[in-house]
Amino acid sequence: MPAVVNKDECTACGACADVCPVEAITVDDVAEVDPDLCIDCGACVDACPVDAITLE
Ligand code: SF4
Ligand code: SF4
């Protein structure tokens, strides 16, 4: 399953988008993952400083 952002926790820091190898994450007010692009690698989960992304 693709990565999912907890919008209440996300601070829009952009760290997840920086490490995503397939550019599946865009960050505006909060990070958003395109589930069609996400390859479930987990890099964003490790990169998020506030644990706002999980692999469901
Ligand atoms: S799990 Fe990997 S591919 Fe999916 S959004 Fe996170 S960094 Fe990108
Ligand atoms: S790394 Fe975490 S806090 Fe930063 S934009 Fe991504 S989901 Fe939001």
Side-chain angles (χ1 to χ4, degrees), residues 1-5 15-26 32-35 37-47 53-55:
M1 294 289 285
V4 174
V5 178
C16 54
D18 287 344
V19 299
C20 180
V22 294
E23 297 183 13
I25 305 176
T26 53
E32 299 216 25
V33 177
D34 184 334
L37 294 177
C38 177
I39 57 172
D40 305 354
C41 72
C44 57
V45 176
D46 292 339
I53 302 192
T54 51
L55 287 175

Side-chain angles (χ1 to χ4, degrees), residues 1-2 7 10 13-15 18 28 30 32 37 45 50 52-53 56:
M1 294 289 285
K7 292 178 168 37
C10 176
C13 71
D18 287 344
D28 196 354
V30 294
E32 299 216 25
L37 294 177
V45 176
V50 294
I53 302 192
E56 298 286 313

